[in-house]
Amino acid sequence: MQTDESFRDFLAGYRSKLDNVSSIVVEGRLTRMIGMTLEAVGCNVNIGERCQIETISGALEDAEVVGFSDDKIFLMPIGSIQGLGPGARVIPTGRAPEIPVGDALLGRVLNGQGQPIDDKGPIHCAQTRPLVAETINPLKRKPVAEPLDVGVRSINSVLTVGRGQRMGLMAGSGVGKSVLLGMMTRFTEAEIIVVGLIGERGREVKEFIEQILGEESLRRAVVVAVPADNSPLMRIQGAMAATTIAEYFRDTGKNVLLLMDSLTRFCQAQREVALAIGEPPATKGYPPSVFAKMPQLVERAGNGDHDTGSITAFYTVLAEGDDQQDPIVDAARAILDGHVVLSRELADSGHYPAIDIEGSVSRVINQITDDSHRDAISQLKYLYSSYQQNKDLITVGAYQKGSDKVIDDAINSMPSIRSFLCQKINEKVEMEASIDELQQMMTQ
């Protein structure tokens, strides 16, 4: 009996030693660096896990595991790579990246790791959340059933947005995407605003916060700013951090407006990471993982279940060379709930916001509008399209008045339609007023 008890004690002690051994952090060493990709050997880590790399000065720089091959692991640095060299210590942290969440974030400007960059002191939040969230069961989502007032006449009336909808703003550079985002930020009826400035010019961050967002809107907003000079991994995490913060407020029952400028920069950052670890390019230099990551990010927005709030999201998508068939534009158009196309031709003519009514669509408009509203939208689009199709003939004087009643009506209506679709940057037009103006204009 004593022998059996001694043997059990021995087994218990041996198991305890094994547990202690398995909990020891096994450090690795850097072996090679190509571009922004670091290779290391000697440590057992998983995809998405954070590691710390010791520089020549003894400082620790964060990096994330983005791939592996046999016994080699590939890491992407989050911050500076200065001071890294062959044989540098790689210390696994055993955790995935998380950010703080809570009401203390309101009115603050953060980087992609959830750290404040606005010189307003530290942020104290009781909770943290991982950057990668679990997917929502699609059968548990509330349907998009009520309109959302964004304060922009043309969107409220012709491209009506629903609470919990995800929209894309498709445009080339310099056509007014950021200005339109700023208008919606100030005018939209949302309890919380989360803004993700991902991969854009650093100069625009302060301008957006001070001139476009404004002090009053900032009080109910959280800004995640990751300019273009940040590492590709930081830009990816900035987009995920903004989405994570929006999810937190949605789960507390708030109606959230998520504005991300831009989805294209997120995809370009993912392309940089994927190509750096050897993934072959596919469409226009974009590896397949880019088109897998985009829906994973976008699908996190939208309505939650019946006990939570909503995330209405607007993503700007840069159409390179004004090409609406650009692979990122095309992929975004397929997975979003609608898109607003901004036209360079309209912008060059002084028509702001430069929304191309013909090329834009809201896919939930039938669920959130009544028959009379939809009839007015159809009539306006018909007249607008008729004019655009015959614009060249009308401009050169080749069209003779009276030849076609529809074209005559379109010509007579265009001054009113243009005036209706234009709006000043500081002018707010509420939903009810927008719809009334549309219906009155179409009944004249």
Side-chain angles (χ1 to χ4, degrees):
M1 179 68 74
Q2 290 180 349
T3 303
D4 292 341
E5 290 178 356
S6 299
F7 184 67
R8 282 196 294 270
D9 292 341
F10 169 76
L11 283 179
Y14 184 70
R15 290 194 187 99
S16 177
K17 289 180 180 179
L18 284 178
D19 291 340
N20 289 334
V21 169
S22 64
S23 65
I24 295 174
V25 174
V26 180
E27 296 180 2
R29 297 286 173 177
L30 279 187
T31 59
R32 188 165 66 155
M33 176 177 178
I34 301 177
M36 292 291 290
T37 308
L38 307 175
E39 290 186 12
V41 295
C43 48
N44 185 20
V45 290
N46 301 313
I47 296 292
E49 187 175 325
R50 279 281 173 87
C51 294
Q52 292 185 318
I53 305 175
E54 187 177 37
T55 67
I56 193 171
S57 65
L60 296 176
E61 295 291 344
D62 287 336
E64 185 172 312
V65 181
V66 294
F68 60 87
S69 176
D70 296 328
D71 61 338
K72 294 185 295 186
I73 61 168
F74 303 132
L75 303 110
M76 189 71 68
I78 294 173
S80 173
I81 59 174
Q82 297 298 319
L84 298 182
R89 295 168 60 207
V90 179
I91 308 167
T93 64
R95 55 181 175 78
E98 295 182 333
I99 60 166
V101 290
D103 290 344
L105 296 178
L106 296 175
R108 303 303 301 268
V109 184
L110 319 173
N111 64 14
Q113 300 186 79
Q115 300 167 344
I117 58 173
D118 53 7
D119 296 327
K120 293 182 180 180
I123 297 175
H124 301 287
C125 294
Q127 299 182 45
T128 61
R129 283 198 173 193
L131 291 181
V132 180
E134 295 182 5
T135 57
I136 300 177
N137 185 333
L139 298 180
K140 293 184 178 180
R141 284 186 186 267
K142 292 183 293 187
V144 178
E146 56 180 311
L148 177 71
D149 187 352
V150 299
V152 180
R153 185 191 294 111
S154 54
I155 296 178
N156 277 346
S157 58
V158 185
L159 303 168
T160 313
V161 175
R163 196 178 295 279
Q165 186 174 356
R166 299 159 305 183
M167 292 282 284
L169 296 181
M170 320 295 197
S173 57
V175 186
K177 298 186 301 297
S178 297
V179 174
L180 181 57
L181 275 183
M183 292 175 67
M184 290 189 290
T185 302
R186 295 193 305 274
F187 300 153
T188 300
E189 292 182 343
E191 297 168 272
I192 303 293
I193 301 167
V194 180
V195 181
L197 303 175
I198 311 301
E200 297 298 325
R201 292 179 287 272
R203 171 186 62 82
E204 293 182 336
V205 174
K206 189 171 184 179
E207 289 181 3
F208 186 92
I209 294 169
E210 294 182 355
Q211 300 177 17
I212 297 178
L213 184 60
E215 185 177 348
E216 184 176 347
S217 296
L218 183 60
R219 293 194 189 99
R220 59 187 176 115
V222 183
V223 179
V224 179
V226 189
D229 59 347
N230 282 257
S231 68
L233 198 62
M234 183 69 91
R235 281 175 264 149
I236 292 171
Q237 293 187 354
M240 297 171 69
T243 305
T244 300
I245 293 168
E247 286 175 325
Y248 164 77
F249 285 109
R250 176 186 64 190
D251 294 345
T252 61
K254 300 289 196 305
N255 292 313
V256 182
L257 176 67
L258 172 63
L259 305 173
M260 191 169 295
D261 187 11
S262 71
L263 186 63
T264 303
R265 304 303 185 197
F266 167 81
C267 294
Q268 290 174 344
Q270 176 60 31
R271 176 175 63 181
E272 292 179 44
V273 172
L275 292 177
I277 62 176
E279 186 178 351
T283 308
K284 276 196 175 182
Y286 286 98
S289 63
V290 172
F291 302 100
K293 289 283 188 181
M294 191 195 306
Q296 290 175 8
L297 178 73
V298 169
E299 283 293 328
R300 293 170 62 179
N303 285 332
D305 60 31
H306 292 277
D307 297 325
T308 61
S310 65
I311 300 175
T312 306
F314 285 87
Y315 301 91
T316 67
V317 184
L318 179 64
E320 296 186 8
D322 292 331
D323 181 12
Q324 292 299 320
Q325 304 308 316
D326 178 87
I328 298 302
V329 175
D330 196 45
R333 193 163 42 225
I335 61 175
L336 293 171
D337 303 323
H339 52 274
V340 177
V341 177
L342 301 184
S343 164
R344 186 172 301 278
E345 182 182 355
L346 290 174
D348 290 343
S349 66
H351 184 291
Y352 288 103
I355 297 175
D356 179 4
I357 296 300
E358 285 185 292
S360 306
V361 66
S362 172
R363 292 180 178 171
V364 303
I365 199 165
N366 290 332
Q367 292 97 280
I368 57 177
T369 57
D370 56 30
D371 291 340
S372 60
H373 185 184
R374 287 194 294 273
D375 289 343
I377 294 172
S378 297
Q379 188 177 355
L380 181 142
K381 284 195 166 188
Y382 184 55
L383 291 173
Y384 188 90
S385 178
S386 298
Y387 183 88
Q388 293 298 117
Q389 291 171 8
N390 296 276
K391 183 178 179 180
D392 293 339
L393 293 175
I394 298 169
T395 304
V396 301
Y399 173 75
Q400 293 184 354
K401 190 175 182 179
S403 301
D404 188 308
K405 185 180 183 307
V406 174
I407 299 177
D408 290 343
D409 290 342
I411 293 172
N412 294 332
S413 301
M414 278 309 293
S416 300
I417 292 175
R418 285 200 183 101
S419 177
F420 174 78
L421 296 177
C422 287
Q423 185 173 335
K424 296 179 181 178
I425 187 174
N426 294 318
E427 178 188 4
K428 177 182 178 180
V429 184
E430 296 181 350
M431 173 77 72
E432 186 176 349
S434 302
I435 297 172
D436 287 346
E437 285 184 49
L438 172 65
Q439 291 177 335
Q440 288 174 12
M441 181 174 61
M442 291 296 99
T443 54
Q444 291 177 355

